Amino acid sequence: MNLPMNPPATPRSTSVGSSATFNTVKTFTLLAGLGGFFVLIGSLLGGPTGLVIGLLLGLGLVGMSYWNSDRLAVRAARAREVQPGELDWLHDDLRAIAARAGMATPPRLFISPDQQPNAFATGRNEANSVVCVTDGLLRILDRNEVRGVVAHEVGHITNRDILIGSIAAAVATGISAIANMAMFAGLFGGSRNDGPNPAVVLLLALVAPIAASVMQMALSRSREYEADRVGAELLGDPRPLANALVKLDATSRRVPMDVDPAHATAYIVNPLTGRKSDRAAQFANLFQTHPPIEDRIARLLGTQAIASA
């Protein structure tokens, strides 16, 4: 069954619109917080020199990771481009969803040999975008569920999440670099009467990278919620994506994936998922790159319930 090009529009309630607005505000608040934290740490730990070095490092990393995001991610996933005549049904569905999202050119389609069911989107803009699915995903999901995953990834592209994620990662890396330089200077650089307290320098150098990572992960979770919402709207039905998330979460816990943690945030479900105790779950969620699957599904199905009321 082909994906209909013009499904009935799903009415958007005030609650759903408010949720989308809140996620957008939260995203830019977290980005601003990361940037402000970067300036604070640079000035406290490294002074003007440390701030300039960290700023240049962050800008350089942002440019490199953003411009090369498609090549870096595809290479890391060992993925290849799906050729014409191969997986035509998936090409058709991706084109239809991209057109519904208002994209002039559909993303290029790649497939990774990984057996863990997963997917990601990347690319510096819509014209250079990529959607990549794994062999494992195509094995366990039916066509309608694959559509849900593809719609989620298209949502990431239209939301410019690759740019946002690149900026956040580069800022967090810059903070860590400044902290490491400050720690080295505090341990081996001697003491100066006019300089900051060495104990404060060491404490901030230890805390800063952790705090930056927590903020970066909170930003990543916020963007996953928003991509879920957009994906459900593109299909006009949240159930395909919700059903896919259930299967992806359950299987990813049993099938490992050899992936660099730096790329984990790009995937639709955390490829490094592990079991954790209930007692530690709330604390551990601070360090998760993805929201709990139960919360994502509840939001998706809650959107459906509101829309049909």
Side-chain angles (χ1 to χ4, degrees):
M1 181 178 65
N2 291 326
L3 185 68
M5 295 298 296
N6 295 296
T10 304
R12 292 184 61 188
S13 70
T14 302
S15 298
V16 176
S18 298
S19 175
T21 302
F22 175 74
N23 269 329
T24 301
V25 170
K26 184 166 68 173
T27 293
F28 286 103
T29 300
L30 287 167
L31 277 175
L34 269 170
F37 191 57
F38 175 78
V39 172
L40 174 64
I41 297 304
S43 60
L44 288 178
L45 297 183
T49 301
L51 179 58
V52 171
I53 292 173
L55 179 60
L56 292 176
L57 177 63
L59 290 175
L61 288 170
V62 133
M64 183 181 70
S65 61
Y66 178 53
W67 192 262
N68 297 305
S69 59
D70 52 345
R71 290 189 290 273
L72 292 173
V74 165
R75 187 179 304 129
R78 298 172 291 117
R80 63 175 179 83
E81 188 164 8
V82 178
Q83 299 303 310
E86 181 184 11
L87 295 175
D88 285 339
W89 63 271
L90 187 51
H91 273 294
D92 291 343
D93 288 348
L94 177 56
R95 280 193 292 267
I97 292 169
R100 192 172 304 149
M103 296 180 65
T105 305
R108 294 160 64 199
L109 179 61
F110 280 72
I111 187 165
S112 162
D114 278 301
Q115 293 307 297
Q116 184 187 93
N118 226 315
F120 66 85
T122 187
R124 63 183 181 271
N125 51 39
E126 291 187 3
N128 293 278
S129 59
V130 165
V131 168
C132 180
V133 299
T134 66
D135 276 340
L137 181 137
L138 298 182
R139 280 193 304 102
I140 73 163
L141 299 187
D142 64 33
R143 182 171 179 177
N144 212 33
E145 292 162 348
V146 173
R147 289 185 183 121
V149 170
V150 168
H152 169 97
E153 300 304 339
V154 169
H156 274 308
I157 294 168
T158 57
N159 288 342
R160 299 189 178 276
D161 286 340
I162 291 90
L163 173 60
I164 293 171
S166 296
I167 292 172
V171 171
T173 300
I175 290 171
S176 296
I178 291 178
N180 288 334
M181 288 188 291
M183 181 179 291
F184 183 84
L187 288 173
F188 304 107
S191 60
R192 297 179 303 167
N193 293 332
D194 59 343
N197 187 317
V200 174
V201 169
L202 292 176
L203 178 62
L204 286 175
L206 290 170
V207 172
I210 298 174
S213 294
V214 169
M215 295 178 71
Q216 182 188 0
M217 291 174 187
L219 174 62
S220 175
R221 294 193 296 270
S222 175
R223 303 317 300 162
E224 288 301 319
Y225 282 131
E226 185 64 6
D228 285 346
R229 183 191 66 81
V230 172
E233 287 189 351
L234 288 173
L235 291 187
D237 183 358
R239 289 171 296 181
L241 178 54
N243 292 338
L245 288 174
V246 172
K247 291 183 179 180
L248 296 181
D249 181 58
T251 310
S252 66
R253 295 176 184 274
R254 301 192 305 268
V255 181
M257 178 185 283
D258 183 16
V259 59
D260 187 331
H263 293 108
T265 58
Y267 287 84
I268 186 170
V269 296
N270 187 356
L272 307 175
T273 297
R275 297 187 180 276
K276 54 184 179 289
S277 66
D278 292 338
R279 182 178 297 178
Q282 186 172 2
F283 176 76
N285 281 341
L286 289 173
F287 298 92
Q288 290 294 319
T289 57
H290 293 66
I293 290 294
E294 296 81 2
D295 289 355
R296 294 173 68 178
I297 293 170
R299 291 194 184 204
L300 282 167
L301 299 183
T303 299
Q304 181 192 32
I306 293 170
S308 61

